[in-house]
Amino acid sequence: MPVGYRSLREDVVYEEDQYELTDDGRIPIPYRKVAKYQDGNTIDWLHEENLERERNHALQSQAGVRGILLPALESARMWFIVIVTGVGIGIAGAWLDVLVKWLGDLREGRCSYGFFYNSNACCTGLDPGEVCREWQTWGDYLNIQSIFGHSLLQAFIYVMLAIVFAGSAATLVVSYAPHAFHTGIPEIKAILGGYVFDAFLTPWTLLIKALGLALAVASGLSLGKEGPLVHVACCMAYFLSRLFKEFRHNEAQKRRVLAAAAAAGVSVAFGSPLGGVLFGLEELDTFANESDVMWRGFVASAIAAVSLQWVNPFGTAKLVLFQVTFVSDSWRAFELIPWITLGVIGGVLGSLLIRLNVEVALYRRNSVLGDWPILEVMSVSAVTAAVSYLIVFARVQTSELVANLFQECDPTKGDFHGLCNPTATRQNVFLLCLTALLKIVLTAWTFGMSIPAGIFLPTIGIGACLGRAMGLIMQSLYRAYPTAWIFLSCPPDPSVRCISPGFYAVIGASAMLGGVTRMTISLVVILFELTGALSHVLPIMICVMTSKWVGDAMGKDGIYSVWIAMRRYPWLPPVHYRDKGETGANIMKPLSQVIIIKDGITSVGELKRLLARYEFHGFPVIDGHGEFVGYATRQELRSALERLQTEDSDFERSKKCTFSQNRMRIPIDERVDLSGALEDSIIQLRKEVPQELVVNMFQKLNLRQILFTHAGKLTGLVTKRDVVNLLTSHLPHAAALSQHPPHTRHP
């Protein structure tokens, strides 16, 4: 072995050293310095998994009690992060609900005996339907006698506080944490898929996201808190994982923790622990291959839900957010007609909402609006508040609107703005449809502004309005024609309730949410946990199935996949790709377009200039005859050059870089050995293989690149970015919001 070779690989435990015991008789733990991934790269899953296997083997190989205690301690650290994250997001989500409720109610009035009481806390202990006199509007509190003055003051405070809340949220995001905007789910999906984006998970982002979310939701903008809570939970888990060395240096383990945290975030957002686990399985694609990750997600979701119920932010001592009561636990066959109709409407409007949102996002990026994000938020907030104040169903918070639309009419309880008045059915249907259309437009514009914003709740609100309108229409038809053949399964007396408009609202919500997100199993579970409508799961399933079919016919991708494609994150959708006879040659970059390093020919100076000029994450290495030598990553090359500690002289810069046994042909003082920068595992294929096989290998093996060779000579390569571009080529606006030009980086 040439002198100086081992000094370049002092970070590796060699085979002859692995069985040398330490002074106290223990087996040494292999330690390997791994260059930190830069934001914008993707991790090497094969390398990370290999490091994890080495570490686990070393821990279990310790002599005596240490071989038992060290693996147990390692597992305990993982469970500590999972449990603390579950408790933390449960408590944070509960107090966020309390803060949002108080700030939202503050726009309409205040409690007479305490400024920091929301309307629910102020009016506790009252019988159903009893008027609460302790809660006063601003006009009553300031003793404004004039009706016109009273209304004007209410509208002024309602709009101004909306602008103040939204403007404050936008200022916090733009000035202190730009990554705290939007929902965060597209980025979390990309991170769990291997994308490196540590700046998205910092403690400062966590603080601004939580505080800005409360202000944004309370402002009355058409957004929700459900998606951003997933981001908040992942920020908590990332902060806790930084406390332990094994998570700081292992990206695969870090993503297992983030997967459990994401499930806990959904659990808190909807009060749906099972839905959180299934959301991670279906939407985040995190648990497909590892049962232990699913188990941790299950535990985190359960603990988060317990913490949420312990704080009891809704004052109901129940985890169900929107408790639904039905006329009966049974449903009738004729109701499948309006329910399937709602599914079709949900699929169509969901696709329309996605397209509107994309067009608005592109207009924002390419117009002057992109230079004035805070002004845009304040202007949209003013318009939203002013228009919503004029429509009775749009004036209240979306969560309160949905809760009332899901409820059945009960004479012992108050009537929500005449919703149960049979003589005002036409007016109510018109107002509900108008509210739904207004929220579609406002949601399409709001989702993407520089504030924390989720799309679950406004989508549920849109669907609930349309579903309730459909239920009122069916109820009106039944009352007008009780003996019609279609209503033969109902009692002939129209005074006996047969149709539940509240459940039609649930069906409409599931249809709209399915059309926008294209979720299926997790959506059904979330909805029946959200409402307690376990006896009506089958109609919800039929409606979600219909909305997804219709939505897929108008566009295969849901809102999150579209945003991932527009922002050009290297995330591979779990679709089954079918080629049309193409081979790997159709997708690969030929050798003439590949930046390569020549073994024994490229000098140190040329290598440094190459690294400074190109930002590719790695470079193939070939010899002077075109024979493939290996693949060197950017991080390892830079790390190897730094370890050389050479002087910046012409002689040192002229030394040749060697990566193989050919180094023996060059005098030792005229070369530097960089063989340690080569990847241990490289997938090589021939360019004649089917393109479908190449895509499947990237999807199932989480690869970063595949090299194409023939008779030992390099012919081309394909990267994960190339496969992502292939799978998103059907989207007309792919990479339209990318922060990096398409040619600068190839993960």
PDB file of all heavy atoms in Angstrom, residues 2 6 38 153 194 210 440:
ATOM      1  N   PRO A   2       0.715   2.179  -0.945  1.00  0.00           N
ATOM      2  CA  PRO A   2       1.582   3.336  -1.043  1.00  0.00           C
ATOM      3  C   PRO A   2       1.488   4.195   0.205  1.00  0.00           C
ATOM      4  O   PRO A   2       0.465   4.281   0.862  1.00  0.00           O
ATOM      5  CB  PRO A   2       1.037   4.089  -2.273  1.00  0.00           C
ATOM      6  CG  PRO A   2       0.264   3.082  -3.033  1.00  0.00           C
ATOM      7  CD  PRO A   2      -0.251   2.122  -2.042  1.00  0.00           C
ATOM      8  N   ARG A   6      -3.445   5.750   3.397  1.00  0.00           N
ATOM      9  CA  ARG A   6      -4.347   5.604   4.541  1.00  0.00           C
ATOM     10  C   ARG A   6      -4.607   6.924   5.220  1.00  0.00           C
ATOM     11  O   ARG A   6      -5.626   7.103   5.860  1.00  0.00           O
ATOM     12  CB  ARG A   6      -3.774   4.604   5.532  1.00  0.00           C
ATOM     13  CG  ARG A   6      -3.764   3.192   4.982  1.00  0.00           C
ATOM     14  CD  ARG A   6      -3.339   2.211   6.016  1.00  0.00           C
ATOM     15  NE  ARG A   6      -4.188   2.272   7.187  1.00  0.00           N
ATOM     16  CZ  ARG A   6      -4.309   1.288   8.056  1.00  0.00           C
ATOM     17  NH1 ARG A   6      -3.641   0.166   7.865  1.00  0.00           N
ATOM     18  NH2 ARG A   6      -5.078   1.413   9.102  1.00  0.00           N
ATOM     19  N   GLN A  38     -25.688  19.627   1.674  1.00  0.00           N
ATOM     20  CA  GLN A  38     -26.094  21.011   1.497  1.00  0.00           C
ATOM     21  C   GLN A  38     -27.585  21.062   1.171  1.00  0.00           C
ATOM     22  O   GLN A  38     -28.124  20.163   0.526  1.00  0.00           O
ATOM     23  CB  GLN A  38     -25.301  21.648   0.353  1.00  0.00           C
ATOM     24  CG  GLN A  38     -23.796  21.666   0.577  1.00  0.00           C
ATOM     25  CD  GLN A  38     -23.383  22.577   1.707  1.00  0.00           C
ATOM     26  OE1 GLN A  38     -23.977  23.635   1.912  1.00  0.00           O
ATOM     27  NE2 GLN A  38     -22.376  22.174   2.469  1.00  0.00           N
ATOM     28  N   LEU A 153     -69.600  50.684  13.123  1.00  0.00           N
ATOM     29  CA  LEU A 153     -68.505  50.391  14.046  1.00  0.00           C
ATOM     30  C   LEU A 153     -68.145  48.911  14.000  1.00  0.00           C
ATOM     31  O   LEU A 153     -66.955  48.549  13.984  1.00  0.00           O
ATOM     32  CB  LEU A 153     -68.898  50.798  15.469  1.00  0.00           C
ATOM     33  CG  LEU A 153     -67.870  50.473  16.557  1.00  0.00           C
ATOM     34  CD1 LEU A 153     -66.617  51.310  16.353  1.00  0.00           C
ATOM     35  CD2 LEU A 153     -68.457  50.707  17.946  1.00  0.00           C
ATOM     36  N   GLY A 194     -36.167  12.348   0.781  1.00  0.00           N
ATOM     37  CA  GLY A 194     -34.719  12.435   0.667  1.00  0.00           C
ATOM     38  C   GLY A 194     -34.177  13.803   0.356  1.00  0.00           C
ATOM     39  O   GLY A 194     -32.963  14.008   0.319  1.00  0.00           O
ATOM     40  N   ALA A 210     -45.923  29.018  14.080  1.00  0.00           N
ATOM     41  CA  ALA A 210     -47.008  28.857  15.050  1.00  0.00           C
ATOM     42  C   ALA A 210     -47.701  30.183  15.325  1.00  0.00           C
ATOM     43  O   ALA A 210     -48.939  30.275  15.302  1.00  0.00           O
ATOM     44  CB  ALA A 210     -46.457  28.254  16.341  1.00  0.00           C
ATOM     45  N   ILE A 440     -64.207  29.557  -2.882  1.00  0.00           N
ATOM     46  CA  ILE A 440     -63.361  28.966  -3.917  1.00  0.00           C
ATOM     47  C   ILE A 440     -62.392  30.013  -4.462  1.00  0.00           C
ATOM     48  O   ILE A 440     -61.182  29.785  -4.582  1.00  0.00           O
ATOM     49  CB  ILE A 440     -64.218  28.373  -5.052  1.00  0.00           C
ATOM     50  CG1 ILE A 440     -64.927  27.096  -4.577  1.00  0.00           C
ATOM     51  CG2 ILE A 440     -63.366  28.069  -6.281  1.00  0.00           C
ATOM     52  CD1 ILE A 440     -65.879  26.508  -5.598  1.00  0.00           C
TER      53      ILE A 440
END
